[in-house]
Amino acid sequence: QEDSILPIWLYEFLYPPKVPRECQMFRMENIAVPACYLLVGILQGLQGPFINVYPLFLNATPAQQVTLSSIKSLPASFKILFGFLSDNLPLMGYRRKSYMFVGWLIAGASMFTLLWCSDLNSETIYNEEGKEIIPENAPSITFLSFTVLMFGTGFWFADVMGDSIVAEKAKLEIQKGQIQSMCYACRFFGI
């Protein structure tokens, strides 16, 4: 605390002196966990309108809309496999943090690909007869489905790693439940 520029009350709030360093989630070595939960909350809130409304601009059939919603949550079915993978095959010497990074990298790359390779403009365009048409460079339903699947895979992969880290750190807590409560507060703050 002597070399900190923070006021004492804020320093002790962020880094409680009676809590083991491994359980102080706002330390540099642990900040990825609450950041992961915050990002999960934000993206859970933002993906609903995108998945449910945007396909309407692409003239998706009701069956395609339902399929797209199902594809979005399909990777959640593999959460246990993601956990087994990280338990048994460390990546770059870490069992969780490197996989969390890979998950967010997959999710980000899929959305960047969707943004880069297509026109996401939802402006309604009409032809000479007054009939609504899809913009020329709009994503196909197939391409949109693939990017949503990849996003969901990375998203749930990172979420599983965050949950695993919290479960590991919870064993070290003096007062049980504080880390999980703080992480879920970050998640619901993001929504």
Side-chain angles (χ1 to χ4, degrees):
Q1 163 47 21
E2 294 80 27
D3 58 342
S4 175
I5 60 170
L6 298 173
I8 290 177
W9 64 270
L10 182 58
Y11 184 86
E12 289 182 356
F13 174 76
L14 295 174
Y15 315 113
K18 295 182 181 170
V19 174
R21 184 177 177 95
E22 300 84 26
C23 297
Q24 295 175 0
M25 299 311 289
F26 291 107
R27 291 219 174 262
M28 188 60 73
E29 62 267 21
N30 296 326
I31 196 69
V33 178
C36 177
Y37 275 88
L38 180 65
L39 198 54
V40 164
I42 290 169
L43 292 175
Q44 278 181 331
L46 291 177
Q47 73 181 350
F50 178 73
I51 297 300
N52 296 327
V53 176
Y54 187 68
L56 297 174
F57 290 104
L58 301 176
N59 294 332
T61 65
Q64 289 172 324
Q65 293 172 23
V66 169
T67 302
L68 192 57
S69 292
S70 298
I71 285 173
K72 172 191 76 163
S73 56
L74 179 67
S77 305
F78 302 112
K79 288 170 76 170
I80 195 160
L81 297 177
F82 299 155
F84 284 141
L85 177 67
S86 70
D87 283 342
N88 296 310
L89 189 63
L91 182 64
M92 296 184 291
Y94 292 97
R95 291 183 319 133
R96 309 280 186 232
K97 289 181 182 178
S98 54
Y99 280 109
M100 183 188 297
F101 178 75
V102 168
W104 287 122
L105 192 65
I106 292 169
S110 67
M111 287 296 108
F112 182 76
T113 301
L114 179 62
L115 181 67
W116 186 263
C117 295
S118 57
D119 180 11
L120 297 178
N121 187 359
S122 61
E123 182 179 328
T124 306
I125 301 172
Y126 298 96
N127 62 10
E128 294 80 30
E129 295 99 36
K131 186 178 178 185
E132 186 178 325
I133 59 172
I134 300 172
E136 184 178 316
N137 197 22
S140 67
I141 297 298
T142 306
F143 183 67
L144 181 63
S145 298
F146 176 74
T147 57
V148 165
L149 176 67
M150 294 310 296
F151 171 79
T153 301
F155 177 88
W156 287 111
F157 201 78
D159 183 58
V160 167
M161 297 310 126
D163 290 342
S164 300
I165 292 171
V166 167
E168 288 175 356
K169 292 196 177 291
K171 296 175 187 174
L172 306 172
E173 280 185 301
I174 296 168
Q175 187 175 358
K176 302 296 181 195
Q178 286 186 330
I179 292 176
Q180 190 172 14
S181 297
M182 188 271 306
C183 287
Y184 276 94
C186 287
R187 173 177 276 174
F188 292 112
F189 178 75
I191 291 177

